[in-house]
Amino acid sequence: MSATPVRVTFLGSGDAFGSGGRFQACILVEAGGGRVLLDCGASSLVAMRRFGVEPNAVDAVFLSHLHGDHFGGVPFLVLDAQLVSKRTRPLLVAGPPGTARRVTETMEALFPGSSRVARAFPLELIDLEPDVPRTFGGFVLTPTVVQHASGAPPFALRLECDGRVIAYTGDTEWTDALVEAAAGADLLIAEAYFFDKPIRYHLDYATLARALPRIGARRVILTHMSRDMLGRLAEVPCETAEDGKTVTL
């Protein structure tokens, strides 16, 4: 057992379309003296301000895939660090192959010239390799390719920290790759876009529920829920996320 608790806060638990008035995907993990984000959707900086999270306290952002509701907040986080919060320590952004290019292009599309301006802090943009564990401070991150069309290989993320394992599906239809990515996790954060309607590229609750015994996660929290799923939460025995919810492992 870890002597140090791991805190997980859902800064954003919504889908791309604001279902339920929720912020887009952004999950804060605090462990071993470090703070990282799992995804950083376009509304993430607003969510951080809402829930009292200092953006400069974030050490790294780990991206599951390159859709705007999962990475579109990175340009705002970088510009806030440069112009408002006056960051001086490094910021790391790591994600699927193409992350460095996509983040740079998005910064230029939203704020022309912003990717080329000198900063008072080092910004490191890293493209991760599938199935290759990487150590960042006190965190070990292993990305696994899943099934979601986003212009680059989408990942489920397995994060090890302080003796705990957090698995995050990102967005994906069911794939057996999730069994390995989340096997025995202390916490599985899983997309449940629809209740029982299988669609391409997204995970529905009914399909996930059938697979949970194979995964063997100790705790499961559902996130990224559409209006359909939010309307049927009374039928769901699993724990569900909401903006601002914090759990301790």
Side-chain angles (χ1 to χ4, degrees):
M1 295 288 290
S2 169
T4 304
V6 174
R7 286 168 49 90
V8 179
T9 301
F10 292 85
L11 299 176
S13 61
D15 61 8
F17 310 111
S19 295
R22 296 173 176 223
F23 293 119
Q24 294 174 351
C26 185
I27 302 162
L28 174 67
V29 179
E30 300 172 89
R35 285 182 162 193
V36 302
L37 298 180
L38 301 178
D39 281 340
C40 186
S43 59
S44 295
L45 189 61
V46 181
M48 286 186 231
R49 303 286 194 219
R50 172 73 56 84
F51 297 115
V53 174
E54 170 53 53
N56 273 356
V58 173
D59 301 295
V61 180
F62 301 146
L63 301 173
S64 65
H65 65 286
L66 300 179
H67 274 158
D69 58 319
H70 291 260
F71 94 99
V74 172
F76 297 97
L77 183 65
V78 171
L79 285 175
D80 175 83
Q82 178 180 339
L83 301 175
V84 179
S85 300
K86 306 300 182 184
R87 187 183 186 109
T88 57
R89 63 195 193 88
L91 176 64
L92 169 74
V93 179
T99 290
R101 176 179 55 81
R102 190 83 71 89
V103 167
T104 299
E105 290 175 350
T106 303
M107 292 187 70
E108 286 301 309
L110 296 176
F111 302 99
S114 62
S115 72
R116 302 187 300 274
V117 173
R119 304 182 186 94
F121 65 96
L123 173 64
E124 189 173 8
L125 303 174
I126 294 178
D127 292 354
L128 299 170
E129 297 180 54
D131 303 316
V132 177
R134 293 284 300 268
T135 299
F136 302 101
F139 299 87
V140 179
L141 179 69
T142 304
T144 298
V145 175
V146 289
Q147 300 293 323
H148 188 71
S150 56
F155 288 153
L157 301 176
R158 185 179 179 92
L159 187 67
E160 300 173 54
C161 47
D162 282 345
R164 299 289 191 262
V165 174
I166 299 168
Y168 173 47
T169 65
D171 287 1
T172 179
E173 63 188 81
W174 175 257
T175 166
D176 284 348
L178 291 175
V179 177
E180 180 177 355
D186 295 285
L187 173 62
L188 168 60
I189 301 170
E191 177 191 27
Y193 193 62
F194 283 106
F195 180 79
D196 59 1
K197 178 184 176 182
I199 64 170
R200 197 175 186 190
Y201 301 137
H202 286 282
L203 190 58
D204 64 280
Y205 168 70
T207 299
L208 173 67
R210 290 193 293 270
L212 287 178
R214 297 172 57 195
I215 293 173
R218 293 176 175 83
R219 186 173 185 177
V220 179
I221 300 180
L222 308 180
T223 191
H224 201 274
M225 295 172 281
S226 69
R227 183 170 59 180
D228 166 77
M229 182 66 183
L230 291 172
R232 300 184 68 174
L233 292 185
E235 303 173 55
V236 177
C238 280
E239 191 174 357
T240 57
E242 60 185 46
D243 293 355
K245 176 173 182 168
T246 296
V247 300
T248 301
L249 307 178

